[in-house]
Amino acid sequence: MELKEKYLEYFKGKKYNITTFGCQMNEHDSERISYILEDLGYTYTSDRNSADFILFNTCLVRENAELKLYGQVSSLKKLKKEHPEKIIVVSGCMMQTSTAREVIVNKHKEVDIVFGTKNINSLADLILRFLETGQRVIDISTDYGKDDFEKYNSTNYFQAYVNIMRGCDNFCSYCIVPQSRGREESRRPYSIIEEIEYLVDQGYKEFTLLGQNVNSYGNKTNYGFTFPELLNRVAKIKGVERLRFTSSHPKDLSDELVYVMRDNDNICNFFHLPMQSGSNDVLEKMNRKYTIEKYIERANKLKKEIPGIALSTDIIVGFPTETEEDFQKTLEACQIVQFDSAFTFKYSPRPKTLAAKLPIIDDEIVQDRFQRLLDELYPIFYQKNNEYIGRTVKVLIESESKNNPEIMTGRTDTFKLCHVKASKDLIGKFVDVKITDNTSFTIAGDLVK
Ligand code: SAH
Ligand code: SF4
Ligand code: F3S
């Protein structure tokens, strides 16, 4: 690339900083962005204000993520005035919708480059175009372009996210993701397999396959691979020591997937299965396409075939029309399923979604239900973690714990966050830990020599 050569000197010594909002897809997109920036010559800094290139990768799944972004971008106005040469960039899901994009474009003149979730691969060109012209660059593409081998800088050298699909076709009535990420598309199986084989060669051990609903992998294609078939194929790649995936829609959780998990030791005994609500009336209005009975049946199938499997979920409280009786059904379902962990959200109306037309519930009621949901869930989590005491479990050590450098944290196969006294050189390695202690959110123990 000729232009790139021209700016070689410019990029020398320049630093970049990325702030990521939202889910694993966005985290992974940030890893891809970081690869492109480092390829140009930038190096990473965690200090946003000293960076020459400041990027926000945005999310709009709930309103608070959006408000936070506006706040953080506004706080850079002064910095940009003092240092007009700094490049400020906004990317990601928010930029895929015209409303949020217009706010950034019209009210935030400090932003130099805007791009979306589909044209990450052209980022280098966008930056060069900006440097050449000095004009703001706003480029939102509507398709992903070539289904390439994806390059990225993983946050560490032993765990990697791998996109297997993009977008979502489910249109849950509360959710803006189908607008921000577009229609569902599956990557070609051989492109995925090739990518994972390459990563195994690089020394990666744990892989997480990503999609908004991995269970519908391969639909609308002639690939001849369903998700269970893809998972089974990936599990057979030598060197894939742990295999995870997220997210799964309960309506598409097949027996075949359960059996593939059961029959491959390296597929982790953990399942994130978003329930959203325990009330059939609410589930129907959410357009979830399953009943709570069917959800519980699926959860039981997982527990029966894969003893010891940990289940996590997403729950929304205060969806429009949710009555106290509906809410009670959510609490009951939590008791029946006995989740190991859960992400809990207060309903947030999102523009142009079907649910946004429904009357919202009083915030005080929602807050009260939200608190009661946590009060119901935390003792269940505690009990689930408490069952680990006395057991010896395999943990992949990930990092030093935040508060104490002598304590390392890692995850079990069942995705339990585990603290253990160990040295830093065990990061990236599997160790055996005898569990002695727990909270609702963590387990802890001693290294078994
Ligand atoms: N595709 C994933 C979810 C992506 S969004 C899946 O279906 O599992 C992650 C979670 O955010 C959802 O499961 C839902 O619980 C929550 N969520 C989405 N839209 C929301 C909204 N408008 N208000 C509150 N929570 C929402
Ligand atoms: Fe949103 Fe539903 Fe798609 Fe998940 S499955 S991304 S909740 S529309
Ligand atoms: Fe948010 Fe986009 Fe993920 S809206 S939750 S970052 S797909």
Side-chain angles (χ1 to χ4, degrees):
M1 198 200 304
E2 234 175 76
L3 254 188
K4 189 174 160 188
E5 301 294 311
K6 178 172 162 191
Y7 286 97
L8 271 186
E9 277 303 310
Y10 167 87
F11 289 119
K12 256 193 202 147
K14 290 272 190 300
K15 302 230 181 294
Y16 75 95
N17 174 268
I18 302 183
T19 306
T20 308
F21 298 87
C23 65
Q24 290 101 328
M25 325 276 151
N26 253 24
E27 277 172 38
H28 187 51
D29 283 351
S30 291
E31 294 178 343
R32 293 169 57 205
I33 291 168
S34 127
Y35 179 90
I36 293 169
L37 295 176
E38 293 188 14
D39 191 52
L40 284 173
Y42 284 105
T43 52
Y44 176 73
T45 171
S46 58
D47 174 24
R48 187 194 289 163
N49 288 343
S50 75
D52 305 285
F53 186 99
I54 303 172
L55 184 141
F56 296 92
N57 195 11
T58 62
C59 167
L60 78 171
V61 78
R62 282 167 295 275
E63 193 187 19
N64 48 10
E66 226 178 315
L67 297 178
K68 225 161 137 191
L69 183 267
Y70 293 133
Q72 296 202 8
V73 174
S74 299
S75 75
L76 292 182
K77 276 201 159 89
K78 187 163 160 264
L79 186 73
K80 178 73 178 174
K81 217 171 233 149
E82 286 162 7
H83 298 278
E85 74 287 357
K86 285 185 190 278
I87 303 179
I88 299 183
V89 187
V90 182
S91 69
C93 288
M94 270 174 79
M95 297 303 98
Q96 291 292 135
T97 65
S98 54
T99 330
R101 187 166 66 242
E102 275 160 23
V103 174
I104 289 296
V105 170
N106 299 331
K107 297 202 179 143
H108 291 274
K109 299 292 178 203
E110 66 277 16
V111 174
D112 302 301
I113 302 176
V114 167
F115 65 100
T117 51
K118 299 187 175 184
N119 54 342
I120 292 173
N121 286 344
S122 18
L123 176 59
D125 294 331
L126 304 185
I127 297 172
L128 293 168
R129 202 202 307 169
F130 173 74
L131 291 173
E132 268 300 278
T133 63
Q135 304 288 319
R136 276 180 126 184
V137 173
I138 295 155
D139 197 322
I140 309 294
S141 154
T142 51
D143 84 80
Y144 286 102
K146 262 198 357 240
D147 179 13
D148 283 331
F149 194 96
E150 295 187 337
K151 293 183 174 155
Y152 38 86
N153 293 332
S154 300
T155 38
N156 64 42
Y157 51 88
F158 48 91
Q159 295 171 299
Y161 287 133
V162 177
N163 279 329
I164 64 165
M165 52 209 297
R166 306 159 173 129
C168 183
D169 280 354
N170 284 306
F171 292 94
C172 303
S173 66
Y174 49 82
C175 184
I176 202 165
V177 169
Q179 288 178 54
S180 66
R181 294 260 162 182
R183 289 300 69 71
E184 180 184 290
E185 285 174 36
S186 300
R187 276 182 73 193
R188 285 178 299 116
Y190 288 101
S191 171
I192 297 166
I193 291 162
E194 191 188 2
E195 184 172 312
I196 295 174
E197 284 172 344
Y198 168 81
L199 290 164
V200 165
D201 279 346
Q202 305 292 305
Y204 288 85
K205 300 174 176 174
E206 184 183 286
F207 298 86
T208 305
L209 309 183
L210 292 182
Q212 292 296 349
N213 175 18
V214 292
N215 292 344
S216 58
Y217 176 82
N219 287 0
K220 311 191 292 186
T221 72
N222 55 6
Y223 298 162
F225 266 85
T226 61
F227 180 61
E229 285 163 347
L230 179 74
L231 192 67
N232 193 46
R233 175 68 181 77
V234 172
K236 300 286 188 290
I237 297 174
K238 217 168 154 258
V240 172
E241 296 190 42
R242 269 187 182 177
L243 184 54
R244 303 184 185 280
F245 54 87
T246 199
S247 263
S248 277
H249 197 304
K251 77 175 165 60
D252 301 317
L253 201 189
S254 64
D255 284 350
E256 199 192 349
L257 175 58
V258 181
Y259 301 142
V260 166
M261 290 181 75
R262 180 195 62 192
D263 297 340
N264 286 281
D265 283 345
N266 54 352
I267 302 177
C268 291
N269 289 349
F270 173 79
F271 210 106
H272 181 66
L273 193 61
M275 177 176 87
Q276 312 300 1
S277 168
S279 153
N280 285 335
D281 287 343
V282 173
L283 286 171
E284 196 181 332
K285 291 200 184 78
M286 286 177 162
N287 192 28
R288 289 291 285 178
K289 302 195 178 86
Y290 54 83
T291 59
I292 191 62
E293 291 76 20
K294 161 97 175 176
Y295 181 93
I296 292 169
E297 184 274 322
R298 292 287 78 191
N300 285 340
K301 178 77 180 172
L302 284 164
K303 287 190 205 168
K304 172 169 168 257
E305 299 294 340
I306 308 162
I309 192 170
L311 298 179
S312 88
T313 197
D314 291 348
I315 299 172
I316 299 177
V317 173
F319 183 81
T321 77
E322 183 190 74
T323 61
E324 175 60 27
E325 209 187 349
D326 291 322
F327 176 66
Q328 288 295 337
K329 289 181 180 154
T330 298
L331 297 182
E332 277 164 33
C334 292
Q335 284 300 343
I336 295 171
V337 180
Q338 295 279 303
F339 294 110
D340 290 76
S341 60
F343 295 99
T344 50
F345 308 104
K346 291 191 234 171
Y347 170 72
S348 167
R350 303 285 59 214
K352 294 188 195 147
T353 57
L354 271 175
K357 297 197 181 79
L358 303 171
I360 58 166
I361 295 182
D362 197 59
D363 197 45
E364 250 171 64
I365 297 178
V366 179
Q367 178 55 38
D368 174 63
R369 286 183 192 158
F370 188 74
Q371 189 54 50
R372 281 154 63 209
L373 176 63
L374 299 185
D375 293 344
E376 191 87 11
L377 285 170
Y378 290 173
I380 301 176
F381 301 163
Y382 185 90
Q383 183 50 38
K384 283 280 174 181
N385 287 348
N386 192 254
E387 286 166 12
Y388 278 69
I389 288 190
R391 282 195 216 160
T392 297
V393 288
K394 204 175 265 315
V395 172
L396 176 56
I397 300 290
E398 293 180 9
S399 59
E400 282 175 20
S401 102
K402 277 189 200 103
N403 312 321
N404 183 348
E406 285 181 12
I407 305 284
M408 297 295 129
T409 68
R411 298 259 180 194
T412 64
D413 168 64
T414 51
F415 211 58
K416 300 281 176 195
L417 194 63
C418 180
H419 295 303
V420 58
K421 190 157 187 272
S423 79
K424 244 179 20 188
D425 27 285
L426 289 177
I427 292 177
K429 303 213 162 68
F430 288 100
V431 296
D432 287 326
V433 180
K434 181 150 194 223
I435 303 305
T436 56
D437 204 0
N438 76 285
T439 67
S440 288
F441 313 102
T442 54
I443 56 176
D446 303 315
L447 272 187
V448 178
K449 291 280 154 32

